[in-house]
Amino acid sequence: MLASGSYDKSIKLWDVRATKSQCVTSLVGHTGWITALCYMPDHDILLSGDKDGLLKATDMRMMKAVTTVQHLNYPIKALKYMKSINSIVFG
């Protein structure tokens, strides 16, 4: 599975195993275009940030947002999962 962020404020999930890659589903709920993505494999969580400063954590098993955090009014341009301390950093 491949995740891509979009200007239409959605995250597209792609099946890259197929001969021709296909969009399997779209995750919606952001208020601005997607500017950062990060996968947390230990928890099967996809983190996403947008230009309006919204941070979402999506449970990939349920395909549902489990946490939403409204950051300050500036874009989230980077996300990093730090497994060694089980923390997320963003800016």
Side-chain angles (χ1 to χ4, degrees), residues 2-35:
L2 173 77
S4 65
S6 179
Y7 281 109
D8 71 359
K9 305 174 189 174
S10 72
I11 299 164
K12 308 277 194 247
L13 299 178
W14 301 85
D15 180 359
V16 294
R17 296 172 298 177
T19 305
K20 185 176 180 181
S21 295
Q22 294 179 316
C23 180
V24 176
T25 191
S26 293
L27 304 173
V28 296
H30 275 277
T31 57
W33 67 69
I34 310 303
T35 53

Side-chain angles (χ1 to χ4, degrees), residues 2 6 10 18 22 37 44-47 49 55 62 72 86 88:
L2 173 77
S6 179
S10 72
Q22 294 179 316
L37 292 170
D44 207 14
I45 297 286
L46 179 66
L47 302 171
L55 173 68
M62 298 187 309
L72 299 175
N86 199 35
I88 302 162

